[in-house]
Amino acid sequence: MDLAKTVEEFISKHDQWHNELELLRSIIKKTELNESLKWGMPTYTIRNKNVVGIAGFKHHFGMWFFQGVFLSDPHKLLINAQEGKTKAMRQLRFDQIEQIDEGIIMSYLEEAIQNAKDGKEVKPEKKPLVIKGLLAQALSTDKTLNEAFNNFTPGKQKEFAEYISSAKREATQISRLEKCIPMIIKGIGLNDKYR
């Protein structure tokens, strides 16, 4: 697969922001970043670390810096798209091509690249697994089930817990628990057949 061609195809599909995305891409390509396509969008990396991506939306186009929280932002251009939710990512948004200043963008890119090289990153918080409801009752009363459940990785434990507790009706929760107990005892993960 020709990655450059794939990115070009992505950009060419954006009638509204075609020239703007092409300009951003040309600026980014002047750096040492490697071009890739992740989540269906052009993404640029260094040492396998995501640094910046570009995309066009309904009312704007722009770039997002995966670890933008560490950028000094001397021009006060960076936006946190989801205040209180997004920890590290920051965006540069534009609504017309004339707003693109190559010098400013290059300074942000160079700082982001150096930050990636320096290993600056916000690591996602790992939330402790809380087992509640019918599964918690079953685990507390059945030693064999509890031991088998504890042999699973935290991710697989979470899959079982969420699958059972996400049912709205108690009857459905009971049905799901009854389905899962033999799987847990046999060491079969909830989604193993899809892996």
Side-chain angles (χ1 to χ4, degrees):
M1 171 172 73
D2 182 0
L3 188 57
K5 192 171 188 168
T6 307
V7 172
E8 287 168 10
E9 287 171 6
F10 169 86
I11 291 173
S12 71
K13 290 178 184 174
H14 279 276
D15 294 333
Q16 183 180 4
W17 305 117
H18 174 80
N19 294 333
E20 291 82 353
L21 293 174
E22 197 58 61
L23 178 57
L24 289 178
R25 180 184 187 215
S26 71
I27 295 169
I28 296 169
K29 288 186 72 131
K30 292 178 183 177
T31 70
E32 60 189 296
L33 293 171
N34 299 307
E35 186 172 66
S36 62
L37 205 61
K38 296 184 178 184
W39 310 284
M41 297 187 192
T43 304
Y44 299 85
T45 64
I46 192 160
R47 298 179 184 166
N48 294 320
K49 297 273 186 193
N50 297 328
V51 177
V52 67
I54 61 173
F57 301 95
K58 188 174 183 179
H59 300 291
H60 67 275
F61 64 96
M63 319 170 69
W64 64 91
F65 293 90
F66 288 90
Q67 298 297 327
V69 69
F70 296 109
L71 294 173
S72 58
D73 194 16
H75 303 281
K76 306 295 181 224
L77 299 173
L78 295 175
I79 298 167
N80 183 341
Q82 294 181 306
E83 205 63 54
K85 238 180 157 182
T86 303
K87 304 278 187 245
M89 192 177 292
R90 297 294 182 269
Q91 299 177 352
L92 278 179
R93 288 185 184 174
F94 310 99
D95 54 25
Q96 50 189 304
I97 199 165
E98 294 78 20
Q99 294 172 316
I100 298 174
D101 183 315
E102 183 172 340
I104 291 173
I105 290 174
M106 282 300 278
S107 68
Y108 280 80
L109 287 169
E110 288 166 1
E111 185 180 358
I113 291 167
Q114 189 57 52
N115 287 344
K117 288 179 177 178
D118 293 344
K120 291 183 178 179
E121 69 179 299
V122 174
K123 302 216 183 213
E125 295 175 17
K126 291 192 177 182
K127 296 177 184 170
L129 178 63
V130 178
I131 309 291
K132 55 186 178 184
L134 294 173
L135 180 59
Q137 290 173 354
L139 293 172
S140 68
T141 58
D142 186 334
K143 185 178 177 183
T144 305
L145 180 65
N146 190 40
E147 286 175 12
F149 186 78
N150 286 325
N151 287 331
F152 284 109
T153 63
K156 288 187 178 189
Q157 291 177 354
K158 183 179 179 183
E159 287 175 355
F160 280 117
E162 288 179 352
Y163 174 68
I164 294 166
S165 67
S166 66
K168 292 183 175 133
R169 294 179 39 232
E170 185 178 5
T172 307
Q173 289 180 8
I174 292 168
S175 169
R176 289 181 179 184
L177 177 63
E178 289 170 353
K179 172 188 167 188
C180 291
I181 288 174
M183 294 174 72
I184 293 169
I185 291 172
K186 291 178 186 173
I188 301 169
L190 183 63
N191 297 309
D192 282 359
K193 67 181 178 182
Y194 301 112
R195 289 189 171 97

